[in-house]
Amino acid sequence: MRAAELDLDLDVFAGPFDLLMAVVLREEVSLAEISLGEIVVAYLEHLEGAGELDLDAATEFLLLIASLLELKSRLLLPSAEEGPAELGPAEAADELLARMLEYRRYRDAAAHLDRLFGSGRRYVYRSAPLPPELRRASLDAATQAYDPLRLGVALGDLLRVPPEPDTSHIRPTVSLERRLAILRELLTDRRSFDFDDLFAGDDRLTQAVTLFALLEMHKRGEASWEQRKLFGPIQVTTSASPEGR
Amino acid sequence: MTTELQRTVEALLFLAPEPVSVTELAEACEVTEAEVDRAVDALEAVLRDGERGLVLRHVAGGYALAADPVAEDAARRLLSRPRTPPLTQAQAETLAIVSYLQPVSRPEIARIRGVSSESAVATLGERGLIEESGRSRFGAVVYRTTPLFEKLFGISGLDELPDPSRFDPTPEDERELRERLLRAGEQRSS
Amino acid sequence: MTTELQRTVEALLFLAPEPVSVTELAEACEVTEAEVDRAVDALEAVLRDGERGLVLRHVAGGYALAADPVAEDAARRLLSRPRTPPLTQAQAETLAIVSYLQPVSRPEIARIRGVSSESAVATLGERGLIEESGRSRFGAVVYRTTPLFEKLFGISGLDELPDPSRFDPTPEDERELRERLLRAGEQRSS
């Protein structure tokens, strides 16, 4: 089965995967509302049911889901402090399409190579040692062809220990469960808070996962939020009655 | 009349383990490259008339003799040489990326394919189709195709590979792709 | 008219590294020995008229194709000299490891380089720059450089290899060269 045909039954969408891609590209459904985890689970269940792994289909699925993840993370993360301008949903969708087309280009080039190989391997070449009289490649005829310094340089390359890897882009794992717990605790204590007051100091990943957790709570009706103007403060409020749940 | 040069060229290509360039043939025969060109053309014409068991192949920047495919099955029986296994999809895609973008690193291949391509790269290396060609400035090994790749794929050089833009979908196809998705969406919502 | 069988027999004799008997040819072509005899006779007649660069030899055990002696001098010029194409980075690194650490095993080379180095080792062996020199105490084949290596690098002994400290990025490190190379390799691949 092609990944595109994977049948999905999500909170905000039911239908085949390729249709989901279509409505996302048309921006009819916000990617923010779609649980990509559920799609992965659906696919894994399908794999389990099918009992065998179709590598092409799995590759296609991974490519699509990875593109969606990247797109979604762009949509969710607060705009970068510096660096390239944030992509709008339309540009992001275009980039997704461009990524898929780039892959397609090499997939088709691969098919071409496969045809070349198919005709090329019908020709068998000779593989035989040289006759003895030619094999005595006379040592005497050999003259210097290489510079010994090349060996010294290569040795120096091999002695070089790589600099400490730059780990600034690796962030600690942030657990969604943990963020949910923190939010629930906060909302029990205060009933309402300003998102930036509490989380502006966190790194981007923590902020994003916290936002995810908030989305999850919104979906479950545990919390709501309000943002009066673009980039303005986000006020988060519990949906529970004062008596608690 | 077959010239002595033509006979010598045939004998050299018979002996040489790898494709031999016109320059190397000219040096070995102590003649000009133009003379070699003529001798090669004549040899090719003789072999091409279908009366012979050998064919002349212009591969990997040189010339090589190969058995005529008519003898393929008998040759495999005689030499008990198994047929080269076909490329898997992962290998073919990886090879396509290396052949067009070389030198190219494994992370770059993985980025384009969307999946880690470690085992495809390793297998292509073992099959002698790609090789390391140095390291990128970040220390990652970069890869390129080998002369064996050109020999087995029957091309005389990388410039014989078609322009990759040839594989791009036409604007119509691209539009069609979008529209097909959009139509599916409309059917769904109606 | 050349028959397909005659073409196939020519192709088989071309491919076979050793003389092939009539029985083997008959089995490979799935015909009778009498048919092979006729095809070989016809092939012999074609090759004998001096128009070709190959000759048919009838030797103990069967038939073999050989290069026409007319090509002898040219063949020596083409094939009897060491092949010295530029070294790839993988080959240079492998050769540096073998020349400075010899005897050294392939697993050690791979650990130092951080990548499997099979094809580099094989190529250096084919070109006569390195050779096997026994086995390590763990049973792995170990390699050393050859007299041809010294000739091609213009040195008359391993003590004429450039002093490693000239290229050492951290010459203050006084540990043994082998240990340092292994550690650097492990750090690179981790």
Side-chain angles (χ1 to χ4, degrees):
Chain A
M1 188 193 75
R2 296 188 47 243
E5 292 157 10
L6 179 69
D7 216 18
L8 298 171
D9 187 9
L10 311 176
D11 282 352
V12 292
F13 173 87
F17 193 18
D18 68 342
L19 177 59
L20 175 64
M21 295 293 287
V23 294
V24 166
L25 290 176
R26 285 175 66 178
E27 294 165 41
E28 285 181 0
V29 168
S30 164
L31 201 47
E33 292 174 50
I34 293 168
S35 162
L36 298 181
E38 278 182 56
I39 299 179
V40 174
V41 169
Y43 188 66
L44 288 176
E45 277 169 1
H46 156 72
L47 282 186
E48 212 158 288
E52 62 180 34
L53 184 61
D54 175 345
L55 276 180
D56 286 347
T59 304
E60 186 191 6
F61 176 79
L62 284 171
L63 184 77
L64 292 173
I65 199 79
S67 308
L68 282 178
L69 272 172
E70 187 178 345
L71 196 58
K72 183 164 178 176
S73 63
R74 286 223 176 116
L75 293 173
L76 288 177
L77 287 175
S79 34
E81 308 79 350
E82 80 282 338
E86 199 69 6
L87 289 181
E91 288 96 334
D94 279 345
E95 194 187 300
L96 172 63
L97 197 65
R99 179 78 59 99
M100 292 167 73
L101 292 177
E102 182 188 29
Y103 168 69
R104 254 182 64 145
R105 164 189 291 190
Y106 291 103
R107 190 196 61 192
D108 293 352
H112 178 76
L113 285 183
D114 209 40
R115 284 191 295 276
L116 283 183
F117 188 61
S119 52
R121 69 180 174 149
R122 292 167 49 236
Y123 295 90
V124 186
Y125 293 89
R126 188 164 183 266
S127 167
L130 290 178
E133 67 274 15
L134 288 173
R135 231 176 293 164
R136 292 187 299 266
S138 67
L139 195 56
D140 301 336
T143 53
Q144 180 170 0
Y146 299 118
D147 186 347
L149 291 184
R150 179 79 197 276
L151 298 176
V153 171
L155 195 74
D157 287 346
L158 291 167
L159 280 171
R160 192 160 294 123
V161 173
E164 279 301 301
D166 176 12
T167 53
S168 60
H169 60 289
I170 301 173
R171 298 199 173 86
T173 312
V174 185
S175 142
L176 182 64
E177 285 307 311
R178 182 85 195 107
R179 301 315 289 177
L180 274 172
I182 289 172
L183 286 172
R184 286 188 180 128
E185 205 175 313
L186 280 167
L187 287 172
T188 312
D189 285 357
R190 319 186 178 191
R191 302 196 48 79
S192 176
F193 60 82
D194 182 286
F195 187 87
D196 284 340
D197 279 352
L198 293 174
F199 300 112
D202 290 342
D203 59 80
R204 268 173 70 147
L205 179 66
T206 307
Q207 287 193 35
V209 177
T210 310
L211 219 50
F212 257 123
L214 217 44
L215 279 169
E216 191 64 29
M217 292 178 72
H218 180 64
K219 236 162 62 179
R220 300 184 193 180
E222 290 179 42
S224 61
W225 64 77
E226 195 177 26
Q227 185 175 29
R228 286 180 189 280
K229 61 181 206 301
L230 196 59
F231 305 127
I234 302 173
Q235 194 67 32
V236 183
T237 314
T238 177
S239 312
S241 58
E243 285 71 39
R245 292 170 276 174
Chain B
M1 241 302 284
T2 315
T3 64
E4 185 175 309
L5 179 59
Q6 186 183 321
R7 289 166 58 203
T8 303
V9 166
E10 183 176 5
L12 292 180
L13 296 182
F14 170 78
L15 290 169
E18 297 300 332
V20 190
S21 72
V22 170
T23 311
E24 291 171 308
L25 286 171
E27 276 171 17
C29 301
E30 300 183 321
V31 297
T32 66
E33 296 191 8
E35 285 172 289
V36 169
D37 279 334
R38 275 196 298 278
V40 166
D41 285 348
L43 177 62
E44 186 167 32
V46 169
L47 296 179
R48 201 172 31 208
D49 68 6
E51 301 263 312
R52 300 283 314 279
L54 312 181
V55 292
L56 185 70
R57 306 272 290 159
H58 187 28
V59 286
Y63 290 95
L65 289 176
D68 190 297
V70 78
E72 192 190 351
D73 292 336
R76 296 196 194 287
R77 282 191 291 270
L78 178 72
L79 303 171
S80 47
R81 209 189 283 178
R83 205 182 157 85
T84 335
L87 298 174
T88 65
Q89 178 73 15
Q91 289 164 11
E93 284 176 14
T94 302
L95 193 56
I97 294 168
V98 175
S99 60
Y100 279 106
L101 299 185
Q102 57 188 304
V104 61
S105 71
R106 208 158 54 190
E108 178 71 1
I109 298 169
R111 186 192 67 76
I112 294 173
R113 293 196 54 231
V115 285
S116 150
S117 302
E118 229 167 294
S119 88
V121 167
T123 309
L124 291 171
E126 280 160 25
R127 294 180 75 164
L129 296 174
I130 63 173
E131 66 185 3
E132 297 169 30
S133 67
R135 291 181 185 268
S136 75
R137 60 204 168 93
F138 303 112
V141 172
V142 292
Y143 295 88
R144 66 172 169 216
T145 54
T146 61
L148 181 65
F149 159 74
E150 295 174 25
K151 186 172 161 185
L152 292 184
F153 284 70
I155 56 173
S156 64
L158 293 171
D159 51 352
E160 274 190 22
L161 289 176
D163 187 330
S165 64
R166 193 185 112 179
F167 302 113
D168 286 347
T170 61
E172 295 82 65
D173 283 349
E174 203 176 320
R175 214 168 23 247
E176 208 254 342
L177 186 72
R178 268 181 197 273
E179 274 167 16
R180 206 159 43 100
L181 291 169
L182 295 179
R183 259 201 316 280
E186 273 152 19
Q187 278 167 11
R188 178 82 202 161
S189 54
S190 66
Chain C
M1 241 302 286
T2 316
T3 64
E4 187 174 308
L5 178 60
Q6 187 183 324
R7 290 165 62 202
T8 303
V9 167
E10 181 179 3
L12 293 182
L13 295 179
F14 162 78
L15 291 172
E18 301 291 335
V20 191
S21 71
V22 171
T23 313
E24 289 171 308
L25 286 172
E27 274 170 18
C29 300
E30 297 180 329
V31 297
T32 65
E33 296 192 9
E35 286 173 289
V36 169
D37 279 333
R38 275 197 298 280
V40 169
D41 285 348
L43 177 63
E44 186 163 32
V46 170
L47 295 179
R48 201 170 32 206
D49 69 5
E51 300 261 311
R52 300 283 314 280
L54 309 180
V55 293
L56 185 70
R57 292 254 164 82
H58 194 178
V59 291
Y63 293 95
L65 282 180
D68 191 307
V70 75
E72 206 181 312
D73 291 339
R76 191 161 294 120
R77 283 188 291 267
L78 179 69
L79 301 165
S80 283
R81 54 181 167 76
R83 292 185 51 227
T84 55
L87 297 175
T88 65
Q89 180 70 12
Q91 290 158 4
E93 287 181 6
T94 303
L95 197 53
I97 293 167
V98 176
S99 58
Y100 282 96
L101 299 187
Q102 57 190 304
V104 62
S105 71
R106 201 155 57 188
E108 273 183 305
I109 298 170
R111 268 170 72 200
I112 292 171
R113 294 198 55 235
V115 283
S116 147
S117 305
E118 253 164 86
S119 88
V121 168
T123 307
L124 294 172
E126 277 162 28
R127 301 217 186 120
L129 290 165
I130 63 174
E131 63 188 5
E132 297 180 13
S133 68
R135 288 185 178 269
S136 75
R137 59 202 168 96
F138 304 111
V141 172
V142 292
Y143 295 88
R144 66 176 170 214
T145 53
T146 61
L148 180 63
F149 160 81
E150 293 179 19
K151 205 78 199 241
L152 293 180
F153 277 86
I155 58 174
S156 57
L158 294 174
D159 50 345
E160 285 186 21
L161 284 172
D163 184 348
S165 64
R166 282 175 60 196
F167 305 94
D168 193 343
T170 48
E172 64 282 1
D173 194 333
E174 282 173 0
R175 281 169 307 171
E176 203 207 344
L177 189 60
R178 187 182 222 99
E179 186 195 342
R180 293 184 51 206
L181 284 168
L182 285 167
R183 286 174 59 102
E186 268 148 28
Q187 274 170 274
R188 262 196 308 275
S189 48
S190 66

